[in-house]
Amino acid sequence: MTAPEGRGIGTESTFRILHVSTGNVCRSPITERLTRHALSHRLGDPLTGGLIVESAGTWGHEGAPMEANAETVLTDFGADPSGFVGRELLDEHVIRADLVLTATRDHRAQVISMGHSAGLRTFTLKEFTRLVRAIDPATLPDAYDDGVVERARALVRAAAALRGWLLAPSAEADEVYDPYGAPITFFRSIGDEINQALDPVVTALTGVSARRS
């Protein structure tokens, strides 16, 4: 069933995060599963907090498995790569998403060009990380008292408000480069890059810092 037109909220009790790359076999699957893994560590079961994490590709390989090197990277982090199926980015994915995080600025532009009032809730991953770092957590709803969904929605609004004031230091600063076809060493460096960018985002979304071993 196609989601209704709107600003990207499926139901009042959920918050959908959509990760977007090109083929949906490398970067966005890694980001999706690392996000789920981080949320499970902070919240126990992310679905309990109402957070739903998905991914798709602007030229997505519909029904394709994740790249083997991407699976290896996820396993390195203790995340679960199993059961992944690639998807082509569709209007309904954008309509339902409350937050769209893309690998590159080009992906961001493609998502925004689809319409559906996506501009205020679509960022590159690294752009969103930079904006989130500048937001005072005390200004956000309390995740325990008000719920993770309300906190997440407020975080997106705050990040959108900051975007014109906190610019990237360089054009490349907001990019996560494509490791497709590269050796495992490059995949691992991209995995580290994604994981480092996600950590402050997940902390801001949940109000819970990562547990350090």
Side-chain angles (χ1 to χ4, degrees):
M1 183 175 70
T2 302
E5 291 286 341
R7 66 178 182 86
I9 296 175
T11 70
E12 289 300 312
S13 60
T14 61
F15 182 93
R16 287 180 179 269
I17 303 169
L18 176 66
H19 293 294
V20 175
S21 63
T22 303
N24 196 216
V25 292
C26 298
R27 287 168 292 181
S28 50
I30 290 173
T31 315
E32 174 197 315
R33 295 303 175 93
L34 284 180
T35 303
R36 290 187 186 182
H37 181 65
L39 288 172
S40 69
H41 273 257
R42 315 289 176 96
L43 300 177
D45 179 2
L47 289 176
T48 302
L51 302 182
I52 299 170
V53 186
E54 303 171 311
S55 65
T58 55
W59 290 88
H61 301 283
E62 189 72 30
M66 193 186 308
E67 280 288 296
N69 281 347
E71 290 189 350
T72 299
V73 167
L74 289 172
T75 302
D76 288 346
F77 282 103
D80 183 9
S82 66
F84 181 84
V85 178
R87 303 191 306 175
E88 181 180 357
L89 181 66
L90 302 176
D91 288 282
E92 64 187 77
H93 301 143
V94 177
I95 290 167
R96 288 163 61 86
D98 296 285
L99 172 62
V100 184
L101 296 175
T102 69
T104 69
R105 291 166 297 151
D106 185 55
H107 297 131
R108 181 184 64 196
Q110 290 180 67
V111 171
I112 293 172
S113 74
M114 295 172 73
H116 315 302
S117 304
L120 291 177
R121 51 194 166 87
T122 303
F123 310 80
T124 73
L125 171 62
K126 288 185 173 181
E127 173 191 23
F128 195 66
T129 301
R130 184 176 68 255
L131 297 172
V132 158
R133 288 184 184 276
I135 296 168
D136 181 355
T139 64
L140 299 173
D142 184 80
Y144 183 80
D145 293 331
D146 302 301
V148 174
V149 168
E150 286 306 311
R151 182 183 178 92
R153 289 183 184 147
L155 182 68
V156 172
R157 290 193 298 268
L162 276 176
R163 178 149 45 190
W165 299 92
L166 194 62
L167 302 179
S170 68
E172 293 73 29
D174 286 343
E175 305 282 293
V176 175
Y177 292 107
D178 193 355
Y180 185 79
I184 186 61
T185 50
F186 188 62
F187 265 84
R188 285 188 166 123
S189 70
I190 292 297
D192 286 337
E193 200 173 308
I194 291 170
N195 190 61
Q196 288 175 26
L198 280 174
D199 181 67
V201 170
V202 175
T203 297
L205 283 168
T206 63
V208 181
S209 299
R211 296 191 296 268
R212 306 297 181 187
S213 56

